Amino acid sequence: MNNSQLLKGTLEGCVLLVISQQEVYGYELVTKLQQLGFLDLSAGTVYPLLQKLERQGYLKSQLRASSEGPRRKYYDLTTSGQRQIQNFITDWQQLTATVTAVIEQTGGSKDGAIERKK
């Protein structure tokens, strides 16, 4: 399976979780996500997602001056964004428990090998 397909369903929650720690500007967020393991993540994926999350009311933004060039748009969570994080965590834990159960019950292993039942 292509990792980008798995990423689509989880990136939104991970973005909100990172922003929950401190407000960030777009490039800073991309860098933090890459450091956390999203190595192939590009700004072209993150910026539209930030706009979507802001339209949905999960984020608020503020332009601020930067000593290193043009003003930067900083993002922070709204109350709705905090609730969405809780929903994401609950949904993710349920999904991973279900998938783990399926893998274990069908003979899957951590190395990806499958033992066929006789």
Side-chain angles (χ1 to χ4, degrees):
M1 177 181 281
N2 185 337
N3 283 342
S4 65
Q5 292 301 312
L6 291 172
L7 180 62
K8 283 182 182 181
T10 58
L11 185 57
E12 179 179 306
C14 291
V15 163
L16 292 173
L17 281 164
V18 170
I19 295 173
S20 74
Q21 298 301 294
Q22 69 181 58
E23 47 183 15
V24 295
Y25 59 93
Y27 182 75
E28 181 182 24
L29 176 63
V30 172
T31 302
K32 286 180 184 246
L33 288 165
Q34 289 171 338
Q35 290 170 347
L36 289 167
F38 290 96
L39 302 178
D40 295 332
L41 190 64
S42 71
T45 300
V46 174
Y47 285 107
L49 180 57
L50 287 169
Q51 292 171 347
K52 174 187 166 194
L53 293 170
E54 188 170 19
R55 278 192 314 271
Q56 291 174 322
Y58 299 144
L59 296 177
K60 57 187 173 188
S61 65
Q62 182 180 32
L63 284 172
R64 293 195 193 144
S66 169
S67 61
E68 300 173 13
R71 296 188 310 165
R72 293 180 175 157
K73 192 173 195 179
Y74 281 81
Y75 294 90
D76 201 4
L77 283 181
T78 63
T79 302
S80 293
Q82 292 169 349
R83 283 192 301 268
Q84 184 62 16
I85 286 174
Q86 292 307 313
N87 292 338
F88 170 73
I89 291 170
T90 299
D91 292 346
W92 181 256
Q93 289 172 337
Q94 290 173 350
L95 176 63
T96 56
T98 300
V99 171
T100 298
V102 170
I103 290 170
E104 290 171 354
Q105 291 177 22
T106 58
S109 66
K110 289 182 182 181
D111 64 2
I114 299 292
E115 290 184 29
R116 186 161 181 123
K117 294 185 178 187
K118 297 177 182 181

